[in-house]
């Protein structure tokens, strides 16, 4: 092998028949590799739903040649019929995200990028299809073609038991899989509203340390700070010691709580009193000071 370090991003089992089974296999595989000296670890977010474009429901080959080619194929009744069959029966080399998650009722439209279709947001595709008297695949693909930009969806396709199993692995760290926003309370540049963007890190402490007692507080803090900084080779970050950049979050263990939900994904957490970024007070008594002391790493 090339001896390269490996980071498995947003580790999950997004395959319903494998819930409660496959994550154990992942652990055995990674533990064996680490025991052989392979530099491999993983990160995850703490929600049982993924988020990506609604076009992920379309078999791969239809994208050949780019977006214009895709739209032309979707507009062709014969090709559309073939694609519909493949959603049911599978397509070579394609991960069928609909079948894996357990059906169209697990796929929720969250950003239609079309004024006429906004009224369907926060509803699942099966439900919308029933109302319109259409096939769910046709409804989803019509949304894709009608969108001005990438139409986004939430896919409820993981299980809580697998998150808990993954959290117990000592080599997992926590990532949000969300971008930063220019405005507080905004949506990141992917246009995907998902509660992980605003709730993921407080959720680790509130749910998995304080409520579920799955991890100790030091274990949880390490998974969010020192360990990911080590994985990403960020020098002088992630731990509090002399000579490091002073990135410090001060929270109240008893009250820290994520408030973002799938229905209201942009709710700020509570219980975080102070944040220092590079030694500069940035959050004071829960309010932003206006300081912008961050640096591009």
């Amino acid at each position: 092998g090339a001896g390269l370090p490996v980071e498995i991003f947003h580790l999950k089992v997004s395959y319903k028949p494998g819930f409660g089974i496959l994550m154990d296999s992942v652990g055995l595989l990674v533990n064996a590799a680490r025991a052989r000296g392979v530099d491999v670890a993983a990160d995850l977010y703490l929600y049982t739903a993924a988020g990506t474009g609604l076009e992920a429901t379309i078999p791969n080959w239809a994208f050949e040649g780019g977006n214009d080619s895709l739209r032309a194929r979707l507009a062709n009744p014969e090709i559309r019929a073939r694609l519909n069959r493949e959603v049911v029966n599978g397509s070579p080399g394609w991960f069928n995200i609909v079948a894996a998650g357990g059906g169209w009722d697990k796929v929720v439209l969250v950003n239609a990028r079309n004024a006429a279709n906004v009224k369907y947001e926060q509803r699942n595709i099966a439900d919308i299809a029933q109302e319109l008297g259409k096939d769910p695949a046709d409804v989803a693909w019509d949304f894709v073609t009608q969108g001005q930009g990438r139409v986004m969806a939430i896919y409820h396709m993981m299980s809580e038991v697998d998150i808990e199993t993954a959290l117990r692995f000592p080599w997992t760290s926590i990532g949000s899989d969300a971008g930063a926003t220019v405005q507080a309370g905004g949506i990141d540049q992917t246009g995907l509203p998902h509660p992980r963007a605003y709730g993921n890190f407080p959720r680790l402490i509130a749910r998995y340390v304080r409520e579920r007692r799955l991890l100790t507080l030091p274990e949880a803090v390490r998974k969010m700070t020192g360990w990911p900084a080590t994985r990403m080779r960020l020098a002088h970050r992630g731990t509090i010691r002399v000579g490091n950049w002073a990135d410090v979050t001060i929270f109240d263990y008893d009250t820290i709580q994520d408030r973002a939900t799938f229905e209201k994904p942009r709710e700020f957490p509570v219980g975080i009193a102070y944040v220092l970024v590079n030694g500069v007070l940035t959050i004071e008594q829960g309010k932003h000071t206006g300081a912008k002391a961050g640096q591009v790493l």
Side-chain angles (χ1 to χ4, degrees), residues 1-139:
L4 293 171
V6 176
E7 179 74 10
I8 303 164
F9 275 85
H10 37 94
L11 176 65
K12 65 183 73 161
V13 173
S14 48
Y15 178 62
K16 197 175 182 185
F19 288 175
I21 303 164
L22 290 180
M23 193 60 82
D24 291 324
S25 307
V26 171
L28 292 171
L29 203 65
V30 174
N31 283 335
R34 288 176 64 84
R36 293 196 308 273
V38 178
D39 183 7
V40 56
D43 54 76
L44 69 148
Y45 57 82
L46 308 174
Y47 296 86
T48 54
T52 192
L54 187 56
E55 83 289 338
T57 61
I58 304 168
N60 287 358
W61 62 267
F63 293 84
E64 186 69 37
N67 271 338
D68 290 344
S69 301
L70 173 67
R71 287 170 190 269
R73 289 188 184 102
L74 289 175
N76 179 318
E78 285 177 25
I79 296 178
R80 176 80 76 117
R82 176 187 162 185
L83 290 168
N84 273 318
R85 289 194 299 274
E86 289 180 354
V87 168
V88 177
N89 300 321
S91 173
W94 174 56
F95 172 67
N96 187 335
I97 197 168
V98 181
W104 286 103
D105 61 326
K106 304 294 191 293
V107 183
V108 178
L109 177 72
V110 291
N111 192 342
R113 297 195 192 268
N114 176 303
N117 295 334
V118 166
K119 62 177 180 281
Y120 298 115
E121 288 179 355
Q122 296 297 339
R123 291 176 60 189
N124 73 65
I125 299 296
D127 181 39
I128 300 166
Q130 191 170 14
E131 180 186 313
L132 298 176
K134 292 165 100 173
D135 183 271
D138 286 325
V139 170

Side-chain angles (χ1 to χ4, degrees), residues 229-243:
T230 299
R231 294 300 302 157
M232 297 300 132
R233 310 292 195 267
L234 300 178
H236 312 297
R237 302 266 173 188
T239 53
I240 297 174
R241 60 164 63 111
V242 175

